[in-house]
Amino acid sequence: MSGTTPADVVCLGESMVTFLPSRPGRLADVPSFDRGIGGAESNVACALAAAGHRTAWVSRVGADGFGDHLVEAVAAYGVDTSFVRRDPARPTGIYFRTATDRATDVHEVAYYRAGSAASAMSPSTVPCDGLPAGRILHLSGITAALSADCLALLHELTAPRAGRPLISFDVNYRPGLWRGESAGVLLELARRADVVFVGEDEAEAAWGVVGAAAIREALPEPGVVVVKRGADGVTVFSHEPGLRPEPRASNAGGADLQPVRRLRTGGPGATPPVREGAGWGEAPRSGPDTVTHVPALRVDVVAPVGAGDAFAAGFLSATLRGLPVRTRARHGHLMAAAVLTVPGDLTAPPARERADRLAALGDDAWGRLRLGPGWTGDDTEVRTT
């Protein structure tokens, strides 16, 4: 990507060196680990770059060997890493995890990221006017949990301003990372965005909101809300003016935020910290949402990690191409299936022609698909039942 060519997507957030277990079991019992990379936002950047889009990753890493590895590994996917800064005083974050699903009680993650270089991101170290130009800016709630400075940066990036790109926000609620109020913070950031990705389970855990319709009621401003429902697929609420909205047609600025019903954000019946008349957010929707439900694929899962980031990448890729909402969600499912059938957080996505062909299947054929390891490069692994 040249210095004068804007990125399709700019992703900002911490990436870490990950240590993946050589076999299942408790961290105390695993004898060895394989080194990889992982970070919600850099995962999205890498997946989009591998799918042929121009992407840039913005972050901070330590002036250490792990920082070298991160920058080199992300750049190898074709991501512009020229906006990653080195911090000589703080280390690059690392973490160890087990091979089990995050949703299970036996899953373990050991983070070594407190005081990391990325936690020092702030409005002064990452000024808005110093970001690369891009059509979409992708952020996640993980960054908000890293430090007060990181939260201040997200507030600035999501504030209304002339020329603000479309904001994509993945809630990515990680209770173990938060040391203070999380629910209201994540709700406020999500309501400032244009496209929101949120799981039913995390919405219930963070906000006490149950069900896709209630989640949309809690997030009335974004043009697109993607509710991830696990094995039941996704429900997408869309009421969008387009990829490059004018200030009063999106959360990029102008109109007042409207109050929503009371949610659990810090205590039973607490009111979300979203100010009426805050000067940002979109005006009340003038018509009903389009509601699109897209079933998940059946996948022979190798490792249940990285699927959420891959889904976001597939959905945003199709958004950039101007495809219909249903097709965007199917591309998200296909990208997620690619990651679910490998051990790590990242893998090569299916070729665009192939993904387009599968995304265009009729409902019955889509429902019969079963994808296993190697399916992205071998037609024999795309099975129907």
Side-chain angles (χ1 to χ4, degrees):
M1 187 172 69
S2 73
T4 58
T5 304
D8 292 321
V9 183
V10 176
C11 301
L12 180 147
E14 180 174 37
S15 190
M16 294 179 289
V17 173
T18 66
F19 290 91
L20 312 175
S22 57
R23 63 172 177 81
R26 302 184 309 153
L27 287 180
D29 300 328
V30 175
S32 60
F33 296 82
D34 296 320
R35 185 183 64 176
I37 63 170
E41 300 85 1
S42 63
N43 286 349
V44 171
C46 290
L48 283 166
H53 297 284
R54 297 184 303 274
T55 66
W57 172 48
V58 179
S59 190
R60 292 172 67 84
V61 300
D64 50 34
F66 287 143
D68 293 341
H69 175 65
L70 268 179
V71 174
E72 291 167 5
V74 172
Y77 280 87
V79 178
D80 180 359
T81 59
S82 63
F83 292 87
V84 178
R85 299 293 175 254
R86 295 302 187 92
D87 190 327
R90 298 176 180 84
T92 303
I94 65 172
Y95 76 96
F96 297 77
R97 67 167 172 81
T98 53
T100 48
D101 190 340
R102 279 195 183 100
T104 67
D105 293 335
V106 296
H107 182 70
E108 296 177 74
V109 181
Y111 289 110
Y112 299 90
R113 72 197 305 178
S116 69
S119 70
M121 289 190 292
S122 70
S124 61
T125 60
V126 189
C128 284
D129 58 8
L131 290 178
R135 298 171 68 192
I136 297 174
L137 175 61
H138 181 71
L139 309 167
S140 93
I142 293 174
T143 304
L146 297 181
S147 68
D149 282 342
C150 284
L151 176 56
L153 174 62
L154 288 198
H155 277 142
E156 182 166 306
L157 293 174
T158 57
R161 64 182 187 277
R164 193 189 87 167
L166 184 143
I167 299 291
S168 166
F169 183 74
D170 192 334
V171 172
N172 256 326
Y173 178 49
R174 300 285 186 268
L177 294 179
W178 288 90
R179 295 296 177 264
E181 163 68 5
S182 59
V185 168
L186 291 173
L187 183 66
E188 179 182 359
L189 291 170
R191 291 184 67 187
R192 289 178 173 225
D194 299 294
V195 178
V196 175
F197 300 94
V198 60
E200 273 191 324
D201 55 347
E202 60 188 348
E204 182 175 2
W207 304 324
V209 175
V210 179
I215 292 170
R216 178 48 157 167
E217 184 183 349
L219 300 172
E221 294 82 18
V224 177
V225 174
V226 182
V227 180
K228 297 176 287 184
R229 308 176 67 193
D232 291 331
V234 298
T235 298
V236 185
F237 298 87
S238 56
H239 189 94
E240 54 184 334
L243 181 59
R244 287 192 174 276
E246 294 300 320
R248 283 197 174 269
S250 85
N251 280 351
D256 294 344
L257 261 182
Q258 302 302 308
V260 298
R261 69 182 182 85
R262 296 162 73 85
L263 303 176
R264 188 186 72 208
T265 56
T271 301
V274 180
R275 295 176 292 118
E276 186 176 0
W280 45 260
E282 110 180 345
R285 296 191 303 277
S286 58
D289 276 324
T290 298
V291 182
T292 307
H293 178 69
V294 180
L297 291 162
R298 287 177 292 173
V299 179
D300 297 329
V301 177
V302 172
V305 293
D309 302 330
F311 181 93
F315 191 94
L316 293 176
S317 174
T319 298
L320 287 162
R321 296 170 61 197
L323 300 180
V325 168
R326 175 176 171 274
T327 307
R328 298 181 210 176
R330 283 192 169 189
H331 275 278
H333 283 316
L334 289 165
M335 196 85 85
V339 169
L340 288 170
T341 50
V342 298
D345 290 16
L346 290 165
T347 190
R352 180 172 290 185
E353 266 185 22
R354 191 168 197 209
D356 284 345
R357 176 169 56 83
L358 293 175
L361 290 173
D363 290 343
D364 288 344
W366 176 265
R368 293 195 303 270
L369 281 179
R370 188 178 187 102
L371 304 178
W375 75 269
T376 58
D378 184 351
D379 273 325
T380 64
E381 294 299 337
V382 178
R383 308 190 300 278
T384 58
T385 58

